[in-house]
Amino acid sequence: MEKLATCLIAFAVLHLVTSSPIEAGHDVNIALPKQRVRRQDESVRDCTAVPPTYPETTVMTDQQLLNLRVYMDQNDIEAYIIPSEDAHQSEYIAEADERRRFVSGFDGSAGLAIVTTNRAAVWVDGRYFLQAKMQLDCNWVSQEIGEPNVPSPADWLLAESTDEGLGASLSNGAKVGFDPTLLSISTYFSYNETFEASDRGIMLQSIEENLVDSVWVDMEGEKPAYPGDELLILEHEYTGRTWEEKIFDTSAGYDTIRELMAEKDADALIVTKLDEIAWIFNLRGADIPYNPMFISYAIIETDAIKLYLYDMTTRAVQEIEDHLKQGSCTPTANCITINDYSAFLADLEDIGSTKKVWHSDTGSYAIYERVAEDNRIMEASPILLMKARKNPTEMEGLRQACKKDSISLCELFGWIQEKVDAMTDEQATTGDLTYLSELIIEDEAYKVRERWGHEFTGHSFKSISAFAEHGAIIHYSSSETTDVPVTKQGTYMLDSGSQFKDGTTDITRTLHYGTPTAFEKEAYTRVLMGHIDLVNTNFRSGVYGRDIDAIAREPLWSNGLDYRHGTGHGIGHFLNVHEGPARISIGYRSYEKPMETGMFFSDEPGYYEDGSFGIRLENDMIVVDAVTDHSFSTYEYMTFEMLSLVPFDPNLIDFTMLSPAQIDWYNAYNKQIRAEVGPELTDRGREWMEANTEPIEYTFSLNPSSGNAVSISVLLASTCLIIANLFNLY
């Protein structure tokens, strides 16, 4: 036993010496140019040409802008703000609320449009830089947020410039119109503060009638309506808490909404976020694409609970009334009254004139207008954290949801591999749009999830099925116009997710079915390294996601690479695929909260080479308690539990770049996939899974350039033998 212990000590010392492949003598020689030259993608607009040239994806907006400017003139405004969001500040919105898309042609999930009497601009973040250039015509300036010399919307409205990208050149004293139900309170005050700091006299003007809606009706006869489908009651086996336990019943040991209201001396809480309303009442709907929401408001008072439903007459069926105990409970303060959606603002005005009202600054300015100044309690909604901290039932549901999605994706990739293996030479090189393409795979990604029957309610967002250069468009959306064949000549990225009754998922894999370039392998490997390092991180209570974001970026930063999106976003429980108030992303946000146990995140570093390829690796993970030998001060220590179980592509990994710890994690992850997902797969899915989860052995070499390589296993055996013989001498 003593000899064995000595051998183990020797191994531990040797492991410390060899903890870094580079320090241990590995020489990773990948010839890369010192400066990478970006080329202009042929699929984007060229506004310098006469006349301008456009790809087929561009939407022409001459008529929309002409009609809108007529209404602007009638309302005596020189500019009009068109947010992406609906009246509930939703990221994903119903077709009826796609005003920015209608007026500009840009259909990304985020972006702000402003139209003046002679200029128009859309602000987009890094996910949509390329997409905006593909969809906007030359009436529009694409304002790339965060890039040099790109002003904020408020600064642009204030500035005078001959360059349409630098300023709107409004008149002194100009009015800037907006729909008060669409502009958030915080955004209103941000604009107002900028305008008041200037001597130009520019001011905001609230206009009740939405001008884009008027143009929409003029051009198409009518606007789309909300779907108005029947609501789904989410049973206790999925939620773990009744709606009563969330609002007033303390017997389950959780904080209730009314308890939190009492701490703020609030008589009423205004709930405008659709995911918060769905979560409180354990109801789901289908009004919003990909997100199981229903158009509604709620007001929770100390002596009443009111739910305002769109299309109340067809939705408030007996089953829903029974679930909500409408008029059938005592005391009546604990009953829910169902009202029509259109009655909300008038009721709020009555309540706001006499009672202390708690509302968030992320709510619309229309809410702010209807609450008396002395009665406002303007703070973040208490439901944000209640919802983000998943209870044990929700946590287990998310584990099951991720397992189901992992099984589905292994089956999908097995199907793709079978198609690839059967390709002709022409299909493998130039491709065949009818055999294997972005849209064909996207369609199959839905079909493989349908195996779960009623448990699967749809995708959690529009799948990103992107081959080769399309992968460089971070939120690319394939269509009949842009669809291309998938071949062996480039990387293929699939970013997709599911809405199961027991949870929401979001997962991305990038694969290559041929021979990747050295740079593609390096980029993929560095993304994987960051992905692994993040999930293995321990952190203490009080730490924000922004504090650990750099962990995932460091392998990329170390060789001059990066990506223009956050590393991780919160995910709801059969709710929104993007959920606050915590996130893993660089930069300060006033609404952001520290990470806590039970929060559910994505882990998705990436790299995007414009015009060439894109790589993203995304898994879902949940914050759990960490096991540590020590516990400094009163801090709690946490880490992540990885829930997604889908193999990475070993064809794209340069294993010589990985540290022993990263290889250990990689092998353990693959072993877990084989154990938990493998038994659920068909032969085809299992064959693909097993081919991509072979264990990797870390080999350490001494002076490899001299040709005298000694493997770590041989070196260790020799060391132990020498030590054992020394012990025998005594």
Side-chain angles (χ1 to χ4, degrees), residues 54 276 294 334 477 495 548 566 660 678:
Y54 300 107
E276 294 186 5
F294 51 96
N334 295 338
S477 179
D495 185 346
I548 65 172

Side-chain angles (χ1 to χ4, degrees), residues 428 467-468 486-492 511-515 520 612-613:
F467 179 69
V486 174
T487 72
K488 296 182 180 181
Q489 304 303 307
T491 58
Y492 172 71
L511 307 102
H512 199 300
Y513 294 103
T515 304
E520 286 171 339
S612 183
F613 67 90

Side-chain angles (χ1 to χ4, degrees), residues 204-233:
L204 290 167
Q205 177 68 50
S206 176
I207 301 174
E208 295 292 333
E209 175 193 13
N210 189 283
L211 305 189
V212 176
D213 287 353
S214 300
V215 174
W216 206 332
V217 172
D218 288 346
M219 293 182 64
E220 299 188 1
E222 62 179 4
K223 274 187 60 188
Y226 293 121
D229 295 338
E230 64 182 58
L231 304 182
L232 168 71
I233 297 171

Side-chain angles (χ1 to χ4, degrees), residues 532-551:
I532 294 171
D533 290 349
L534 181 63
V535 75
N536 283 329
T537 298
N538 281 15
F539 51 93
R540 64 166 175 79
S541 51
V543 167
Y544 290 79
R546 60 177 177 260
D547 299 325
I548 65 172
D549 178 274
I551 292 171

Side-chain angles (χ1 to χ4, degrees), residues 45-66:
R45 66 184 185 176
D46 182 0
C47 295
T48 63
V50 182
T53 58
Y54 300 107
E56 294 182 9
T57 51
T58 299
V59 178
M60 306 309 294
T61 61
D62 292 351
Q63 193 62 50
Q64 291 95 310
L65 291 172
L66 179 65

Side-chain angles (χ1 to χ4, degrees), residues 619-665:
N619 278 344
D620 298 338
M621 58 190 186
I622 199 159
V623 180
V624 294
D625 292 327
V627 177
T628 59
D629 293 332
H630 309 286
S631 184
F632 176 74
S633 188
T634 58
Y635 297 125
E636 296 177 10
Y637 289 84
M638 294 165 276
T639 188
F640 298 108
E641 175 190 343
M642 189 67 83
L643 303 189
S644 305
L645 296 170
V646 179
F648 300 102
D649 186 359
N651 185 39
L652 277 162
I653 302 172
D654 180 351
F655 288 101
T656 68
M657 295 174 62
L658 302 187
S659 70
Q662 290 166 338
I663 289 178
D664 286 346
W665 184 93

